[in-house]
Amino acid sequence: MHWASATAIVFPALLALCAGQQQQPLSEVGHSGSSHSPPASADAPSWRDELLQLLEALVSTPSANGQENGVGQFLVDYLQQAQYQVDIQFVPPPKDHPDVPDRFNVLAWRGERKPSYKTLVTSHIDVVPPHIPWEIEGGEVSKKTIIKGRGTTDAKGSVATQIVAVNHLLSTNSDVNPEDLILLFVVGEETTGDGMRLFSDSLKHMDPPLSFDSAIFGEPTENKLACGHKGALFCSAVAKGKDAHSGYPEMGKSANELMIRAMNKILDTDLGSSPLFGNTTFNVGRFDGGVAANVIPAKAFVDLAARVAVGSEREGHRVVQQKIADILKETDEDAFAFECTHGYGPYECNCDVEGFEPTIVNYGTDIPNLDADYVRYLYGPGSILVAHGDHEYITVGDLEKAVEDYQKLILHAISQ
Ligand SMILES: [Zn+2]
């Protein structure tokens, strides 16, 4: 595996590789457009500026579609300045963006690197496109202040609050052993999960070895503690018909008609439910077929995603895949080609921690990609309902609650 000490070997090389796009010193990052911080309200915790400056730097560095180099470099520098030891793990470029600069996972800890930790604190540093610049509401900053920008919620808000929570916990709580905690920030979560999968694979032959009793995943849960998330299934289907003049439909076979009938049946079918996760839902995300209004279409295709609420973690998606395959076959014995690229069943997490409101989320996370034996927690500031959208935002209050809550969650996890 391509782990390397950021201090000793790789970091200077990285700087050379990335010349011209180095970060600004932190003192210059601050609040854009002004040389001093906006006035803070009386409700400000002592670490508010540290938190907002860190989040601003993260959000201001674009990191979509395999382009995580800049934000990774920033994090390495930031964590080293904050007295962490840092390793980076190179992740190959995504297939559809082969020429991106080096991208890497970032692993950070205090003191000696031990073979086992109580808790891994982790989130992802990639975001969905397009980049949306950082923008903070004017006037006095209070808990209600809104911050807009790509990644404020998903998931740079989690990254920043996790780091500030750990910094604060280690500097104020002498009962916490810094060597119980290790931080991991991965690339590629929004696309294939290649960052976390590479990290997971590398656990088998890491030197020194690395294990952890629990892992805290940062994703937007509206400051609630998730009891789990639904599984997922991603597929495409092609219907093959026969073209003909639209005045003589009996001379052809409409691929569009077959596809419409099949999709309608699937939408009306119970694809499975469970008390914890609710219903499996089904989305025809892309639908295309035919060539013109007066031609019986010979070909139709769809891209599909199901959010899986049934079955085991490893195999739950196969239950849904089989139901869809059966309906396609019922609709037409041999018109359909059906292929699924990947999937997994619903994943449960530990939500039995005092002081947290439980929830279930319907989106995927990197949890299925971290294949090891550990207790999972899933928590983060912000709402998934604004993540990935044009108006992604978060409030200062949600961020500050997350810093408090991550500290509680870490204390709980390391006491187990
Ligand atoms: Zn995310």
Side-chain angles (χ1 to χ4, degrees), residues 139-382:
E140 185 184 78
V141 174
S142 73
K143 297 215 181 282
K144 292 202 177 97
T145 298
I146 287 174
I147 301 168
K148 294 182 194 160
R150 177 62 77 222
T152 46
T153 281
D154 190 7
K156 289 172 174 173
S158 287
V159 173
T161 52
Q162 286 178 335
I163 291 172
V164 173
V166 172
N167 288 348
H168 192 62
L169 200 57
L170 295 182
S171 65
T172 59
N173 191 327
S174 54
D175 294 340
V176 177
N177 180 355
E179 297 193 345
D180 281 345
L181 294 173
I182 190 158
L183 294 163
L184 171 70
F185 300 107
V186 300
V187 300
E189 191 275 342
E190 296 290 0
T191 50
T192 61
D194 54 352
M196 186 59 92
R197 280 191 284 112
L198 188 81
F199 173 77
S200 181
D201 290 346
S202 72
L203 288 173
K204 295 172 197 113
H205 29 79
M206 213 178 268
D207 183 26
L210 177 59
S211 67
F212 33 88
D213 299 338
S214 59
I216 298 171
F217 290 81
E219 289 283 359
T221 64
E222 298 180 357
N223 298 90
K224 295 172 189 168
L225 190 56
C227 304
H229 66 76
K230 281 185 178 174
L233 174 69
F234 299 93
C235 309
S236 54
V238 179
K240 236 181 114 195
K242 184 176 178 296
D243 58 1
H245 191 288
S246 64
Y248 302 87
E250 67 280 7
M251 302 304 289
K253 181 174 177 177
S254 168
N256 283 357
E257 193 180 315
L258 289 171
M259 192 63 92
I260 290 164
R261 289 185 195 285
M263 292 305 112
N264 197 35
K265 262 191 224 171
I266 295 168
L267 288 164
D268 285 345
T269 298
D270 178 3
L271 295 172
S273 61
S274 59
L276 185 58
F277 293 101
N279 291 330
T280 298
T281 59
F282 177 75
N283 179 46
V284 186
R286 188 158 167 244
F287 201 127
D288 202 356
V291 289
N294 56 1
V295 180
I296 301 292
K299 202 171 174 189
F301 64 89
V302 292
D303 288 334
L304 315 166
R307 298 294 168 173
V308 179
V310 287
S312 66
E313 293 177 350
R314 294 301 171 92
E315 300 294 328
H317 63 295
R318 296 198 192 283
V319 178
V320 177
Q321 185 174 341
Q322 190 57 50
K323 284 191 179 185
I324 296 172
D326 290 347
I327 292 170
L328 294 177
K329 197 143 204 189
E330 253 170 60
T331 307
D332 190 292
E333 188 68 33
D334 39 39
F336 289 97
F338 178 52
E339 195 177 42
C340 296
T341 50
H342 60 293
Y344 49 87
Y347 273 69
E348 284 190 43
C349 300
N350 185 345
C351 58
D352 188 15
V353 181
E354 217 185 293
F356 285 87
E357 190 183 335
T359 188
I360 287 284
V361 296
N362 296 344
Y363 53 85
T365 71
D366 258 339
I367 294 173
N369 297 322
L370 182 50
D371 184 15
D373 188 19
Y374 59 94
V375 176
R376 309 156 188 153
Y377 300 94
L378 176 57
Y379 172 94

Side-chain angles (χ1 to χ4, degrees), residues 14 16-19 21 62-73 90-94 97-104 187:
L14 254 174
L17 266 175
C18 314
Q21 38 169 295
S63 59
N65 282 346
Q67 320 232 358
E68 300 98 334
N69 174 286
V71 79
Q73 235 195 111
F90 288 109
V91 180
H97 290 80
D99 299 323
V100 295
D102 287 337
R103 55 203 286 264
F104 47 85
V187 300

Side-chain angles (χ1 to χ4, degrees), residues 32-74:
S32 53
S34 75
S35 55
H36 50 265
S37 300
S41 59
D43 63 6
S46 60
W47 35 261
R48 178 178 281 171
D49 282 353
E50 177 192 353
L51 172 64
L52 295 186
Q53 286 176 19
L54 173 55
L55 183 61
E56 177 173 1
L58 291 170
V59 170
S60 302
T61 311
S63 59
N65 282 346
Q67 320 232 358
E68 300 98 334
N69 174 286
V71 79
Q73 235 195 111
F74 165 78

Side-chain angles (χ1 to χ4, degrees), residues 127-140:
V127 293
V128 297
H131 176 66
I132 301 172
W134 162 275
E135 189 189 328
I136 187 162
E137 257 183 334
E140 185 184 78

